[in-house]
Amino acid sequence: MHKRKLGLLGVLLSVALQLTAQGPQSYTFKVGDQFRVTAEVNQDIIQTMLGQEMETKQTITTVDFYEVVAVTNEGYKMRTTGLSRSLYTEAGGGSVAIDSEKEGDDNLAFRVLTGKSYYVVMNRYGRLLRFEGMDDFNNAVKSDLAGTILEDQADALLTAFEEKPLKTAFNGQFYIYKEPGKDWGRSVDTEINQLPISVDYTFSRVDAQTIKATGPMVMVGEMEIMGNQMTADMSGDQTTFFKVDSSTGLPSTINTLQSMTGSLEVSDLTVPMTLKTEVSVKITK
């Protein structure tokens, strides 16, 4: 009997060591856990029209605060609050800057999106289950815009907080662990500026603290800008590396590189285009 116990202990120890070597397999939060997510998106767009190259550079920075408010059988409920938003675009010798931390009507669109909260509920593998409190969030934004120059544009401003783009963004940062009985891969269909984008990627372990996701991207579809109908036909790939914290499973850094080439067709004019995007996310507790 003593030998059997020792043998069983040896098996359990071996399993534990193997799991440790594999790194976190899910999230292990507790009520009261807090963390800050700082994301910077750098985008470089090059279009060739009538033999001339036109380059547009854009940087978007967001800071959000998360707090775990409940741990249930289905996973975790977290309150998320926007702390800051900024955008800087440079094209054709001109530039546009919007910063939620600055005063003035030029910055109002981002300023009203900060200091307001809603809730996300995810399972222990990071998959979003639902949002809660979005009506309160939307009403608070509209209330702040009432009587301002952007009052009539409130609904357009809140499209970024519709379920589909919000779900895609959340899962892109948190849904990184393999669920039992499912393939360790994702197929994502979303929209950017009315254009449908499809991404199919698979996950793999680089080491105990690093997860890699890679796969092809396709952007094909039509959109309308200022009354002009445009058709996009672009493809490329995306690679993301997640550095995860062994104690909670939370990523500490996320680095993504997207590269796409193709064309835009506008009024029978075909415009060759390349699109490169780098996303750097830092998560601090």
Side-chain angles (χ1 to χ4, degrees), residues 141-178:
V141 171
K142 291 179 180 181
S143 177
D144 283 356
L145 289 176
T148 72
I149 62 172
L150 295 180
E151 181 176 9
D152 295 337
Q153 300 180 41
D155 289 333
L157 180 62
L158 287 168
T159 56
F161 289 86
E162 291 177 349
E163 182 172 348
K164 191 171 184 178
L166 211 56
K167 178 179 179 180
T168 299
F170 181 87
N171 280 342
Q173 291 182 349
F174 293 98
Y175 188 19
I176 62 175
Y177 291 108
K178 184 181 184 303

Side-chain angles (χ1 to χ4, degrees), residues 155-253:
D155 289 333
L157 180 62
L158 287 168
T159 56
F161 289 86
E162 291 177 349
E163 182 172 348
K164 191 171 184 178
L166 211 56
K167 178 179 179 180
T168 299
F170 181 87
N171 280 342
Q173 291 182 349
F174 293 98
Y175 188 19
I176 62 175
Y177 291 108
K178 184 181 184 303
E179 296 193 61
K182 293 186 177 183
D183 292 334
W184 203 14
R186 308 278 186 270
S187 292
V188 179
D189 295 307
T190 188
E191 290 184 358
I192 296 180
N193 295 330
Q194 305 175 40
L195 284 173
I197 295 181
S198 299
V199 186
D200 292 300
Y201 50 94
T202 56
F203 289 85
S204 61
R205 289 270 182 183
V206 177
D207 53 46
Q209 269 68 52
T210 308
I211 295 172
K212 179 182 179 181
T214 185
M217 298 180 65
V218 176
M219 182 170 69
V220 177
E222 296 183 349
M223 65 178 176
E224 184 176 317
I225 297 180
M226 299 179 66
N228 295 316
Q229 198 71 21
M230 299 185 181
T231 302
D233 185 0
M234 302 187 68
S235 62
D237 53 51
Q238 170 178 302
T239 301
T240 302
F241 290 93
F242 303 84
K243 280 284 187 181
V244 298
D245 175 44
S246 58
S247 61
T248 63
L250 184 69
S252 56
T253 61

Side-chain angles (χ1 to χ4, degrees), residues 22 30 213:
Q22 292 172 0
K30 62 182 183 299

Side-chain angles (χ1 to χ4, degrees), residues 30-273:
K30 62 182 183 299
V31 173
D33 281 350
Q34 300 177 349
F35 53 93
R36 179 184 298 236
V37 180
T38 302
E40 182 176 287
V41 180
N42 289 287
Q43 198 167 59
D44 189 11
I45 304 169
I46 298 178
Q47 297 171 302
T48 304
M49 184 177 293
L50 301 177
Q52 289 189 325
E53 281 193 353
M54 296 182 296
E55 185 174 19
T56 301
K57 292 187 176 182
Q58 180 170 269
T59 299
I60 302 172
T61 305
T62 61
V63 182
D64 296 280
F65 180 77
Y66 287 80
E67 180 179 4
V68 180
V69 298
V71 178
T72 66
N73 290 334
E74 62 181 351
Y76 306 100
K77 180 177 180 178
M78 300 184 291
R79 179 171 53 244
T80 175
T81 306
L83 299 183
S84 69
R85 302 280 186 271
S86 68
L87 174 147
Y88 181 77
T89 302
E90 187 177 292
S95 63
V96 175
I98 306 175
D99 192 334
S100 65
E101 296 185 346
K102 295 182 179 180
E103 297 296 325
D105 290 341
D106 290 344
N107 302 297
L108 179 61
F110 279 8
R111 199 164 59 246
V112 297
L113 298 177
T114 62
K116 299 172 180 64
S117 304
Y118 57 91
Y119 296 88
V120 294
V121 180
M122 73 174 193
N123 69 7
R124 51 196 297 262
Y125 304 100
R127 176 167 54 87
L128 178 74
L129 302 178
R130 63 184 177 275
F131 295 108
E132 295 180 0
M134 293 307 302
D135 286 343
D136 291 339
F137 177 89
N138 291 339
N139 289 336
V141 171
K142 291 179 180 181
S143 177
D144 283 356
L145 289 176
T148 72
I149 62 172
L150 295 180
E151 181 176 9
D152 295 337
Q153 300 180 41
D155 289 333
L157 180 62
L158 287 168
T159 56
F161 289 86
E162 291 177 349
E163 182 172 348
K164 191 171 184 178
L166 211 56
K167 178 179 179 180
T168 299
F170 181 87
N171 280 342
Q173 291 182 349
F174 293 98
Y175 188 19
I176 62 175
Y177 291 108
K178 184 181 184 303
E179 296 193 61
K182 293 186 177 183
D183 292 334
W184 203 14
R186 308 278 186 270
S187 292
V188 179
D189 295 307
T190 188
E191 290 184 358
I192 296 180
N193 295 330
Q194 305 175 40
L195 284 173
I197 295 181
S198 299
V199 186
D200 292 300
Y201 50 94
T202 56
F203 289 85
S204 61
R205 289 270 182 183
V206 177
D207 53 46
Q209 269 68 52
T210 308
I211 295 172
K212 179 182 179 181
T214 185
M217 298 180 65
V218 176
M219 182 170 69
V220 177
E222 296 183 349
M223 65 178 176
E224 184 176 317
I225 297 180
M226 299 179 66
N228 295 316
Q229 198 71 21
M230 299 185 181
T231 302
D233 185 0
M234 302 187 68
S235 62
D237 53 51
Q238 170 178 302
T239 301
T240 302
F241 290 93
F242 303 84
K243 280 284 187 181
V244 298
D245 175 44
S246 58
S247 61
T248 63
L250 184 69
S252 56
T253 61
I254 306 170
N255 292 290
T256 297
L257 179 62
Q258 298 174 348
S259 180
M260 302 184 75
T261 60
S263 64
L264 282 178
E265 188 172 311
V266 187
S267 301
D268 297 326
L269 176 64
T270 300
V271 181
M273 182 166 130

Side-chain angles (χ1 to χ4, degrees), residues 5-24:
K5 287 183 178 179
L6 288 177
L8 179 59
L9 287 173
V11 171
L12 293 175
L13 178 60
S14 176
V15 170
L17 289 174
Q18 288 181 37
L19 290 176
T20 301
Q22 292 172 0

